[in-house]
Amino acid sequence: MRSESGVTAVEYTFIIALIAIVIIAMVCLVGEELSEVFQQNFIVVDQHPPEPRPPEVP
């Protein structure tokens, strides 16, 4: 007789697929927000460029 208490490969496949879907969804949501944050920071940096450094004296 076979034991039915163990997890089969099919069940592992469903679990991995579900985890992958959640990860992809989170990356898409967080990625868009991060893109907006970086765009705002780049605009600020472009508006205020750093002051030139004096040349180094050896």
Side-chain angles (χ1 to χ4, degrees):
M1 254 201 229
R2 277 182 29 191
S3 172
E4 298 289 331
S5 64
V7 179
T8 64
V10 174
E11 291 167 336
Y12 278 126
T13 302
F14 285 134
I15 293 169
I16 291 171
L18 181 62
I19 291 171
I21 290 169
V22 170
I23 290 173
I24 291 169
M26 293 303 296
V27 167
C28 289
L29 292 174
V30 173
E32 291 176 8
E33 292 177 18
L34 280 178
S35 177
E36 291 176 13
V37 169
F38 281 116
Q39 288 297 331
Q40 292 171 356
N41 287 336
F42 288 139
I43 291 170
V44 170
V45 169
D46 286 341
Q47 292 173 351
H48 304 289
E51 296 180 12
R53 293 176 34 188
E56 294 183 20
V57 178

